[in-house]
Amino acid sequence: KLDDWDPCLLSGYFIHLVTKAMDKTPSSSAAMMKKKKSSEEEMAAQVSWNMSEERICCDKIKIQKIGNIFILAEWPRADGKKRRIVLGPYWHFLLVTLVVILSVSLMIYVVVIPTVFIAERVIGLSLTVLSASSLLCTALTDPGIFPRYSAPLAASWTYSEYAQSYRPPGVIYCQQCHVLIEDYNHFCPWSGIVIGKGNEAYFQVFIVAIVTVLLWDILIVVLSLYGLGF
């Protein structure tokens, strides 16, 4: 029955619930303050890369550079970071690679194989377009330019003399591009740019596509020599 309840017990239980709720609030607030402080410290430790400017086309067009990487376009993302369209220091190798891929495929599917090979031609040209487009995406995507830091944010960070910056594990200074690259893989001369976290997925698609189109072209040429088709 309700009359059997002790008012002292009820008030004590209520005070316990209120105290417990108040104890949770400071801890949550402290966590938010700690996170905000950590973010402020990270921003304070960041050092911008030196931006340079280069003129092309008879000094009529100005292009900004970070290290040796050309910045064709740049805009902020929702998370505060920047999205970029870039071009590597060896962009002329990119043009040579594109010309070779497109000219070989056009020669095979326009000159070499018979015109009756319609399905084979469609498949081959589709693979060629996939190879060229994935190569362009690899070359034009930000490879993962990592900001410079004047102080380490963790015990595992080390100092790079070349970059004049602290860096976490996996971030390596690219000798060709003169910037720090997150999840550095290697420098690819055929795309004219370094391969890192930002463009590695496109690079893997390019490798699979170019090997596939090469094997397909060899198969089609052999079949056409013997007058065969699918």
Side-chain angles (χ1 to χ4, degrees):
K1 295 181 180 179
L2 188 60
D3 295 339
D4 296 336
W5 285 88
D6 190 349
C8 293
L9 291 177
L10 288 174
S11 60
Y13 182 68
F14 177 74
I15 293 173
H16 171 71
L17 290 179
V18 172
T19 305
K20 188 176 180 181
M22 291 178 66
D23 289 340
K24 289 183 178 179
T25 304
S27 62
S28 176
S29 177
M32 292 179 63
M33 291 295 293
K34 185 177 180 181
K35 185 177 180 181
K36 183 179 180 181
K37 184 178 180 182
S38 176
S39 178
E40 290 176 351
E41 290 177 351
E42 181 178 351
M43 292 298 295
Q46 278 193 20
V47 180
S48 300
W49 287 100
N50 295 327
M51 299 285 290
S52 59
E53 193 175 89
E54 187 164 318
R55 293 177 176 268
I56 60 174
C57 298
C58 301
D59 292 340
K60 294 182 179 179
I61 300 177
K62 295 185 295 183
I63 298 181
Q64 289 186 328
K65 293 173 64 177
I66 297 179
N68 282 340
I69 296 181
F70 295 94
I71 308 299
L72 304 181
E74 185 179 65
W75 63 94
R77 301 191 310 190
D79 56 2
K81 296 182 179 180
K82 294 181 179 180
R83 187 179 295 276
R84 301 184 180 102
I85 299 177
V86 303
L87 197 61
Y90 296 97
W91 54 268
H92 44 282
F93 283 170
L94 169 65
L95 297 180
V96 172
T97 307
L98 286 172
V99 169
V100 170
I101 292 174
L102 296 176
S103 60
V104 169
S105 293
L106 288 176
M107 183 180 65
I108 290 175
Y109 296 107
V110 175
V111 179
V112 177
I113 68 171
T115 56
V116 293
F117 284 30
I118 298 177
E120 294 84 345
R121 184 172 298 178
V122 170
I123 295 174
L125 291 176
S126 299
L127 290 172
T128 301
V129 171
L130 177 61
S131 301
S133 58
S134 58
L135 176 62
L136 281 174
C137 289
T138 302
L140 298 177
T141 301
D142 184 349
I145 300 175
F146 193 79
R148 293 194 299 168
Y149 286 89
S150 60
L153 300 184
S156 59
W157 284 40
T158 57
Y159 189 76
S160 170
E161 292 288 346
Y162 290 107
Q164 298 292 300
S165 167
Y166 286 92
R167 57 180 181 174
V171 175
I172 296 178
Y173 182 80
C174 178
Q175 297 285 352
Q176 290 79 17
C177 296
H178 294 180
V179 289
L180 289 171
I181 300 296
E182 194 171 0
D183 292 342
Y184 178 94
N185 189 300
H186 70 285
F187 183 83
C188 174
W190 309 115
S191 63
I193 200 168
V194 63
I195 306 301
K197 181 180 180 179
N199 60 357
E200 186 173 1
Y202 293 121
F203 178 74
Q204 292 175 353
V205 173
F206 167 69
I207 292 299
V208 173
I210 197 65
V211 171
T212 304
V213 75
L214 176 62
L215 296 175
W216 181 261
D217 289 348
I218 293 174
L219 176 62
I220 293 303
V221 169
V222 171
L223 290 176
S224 65
L225 290 176
Y226 289 94
L228 302 174
F230 293 109

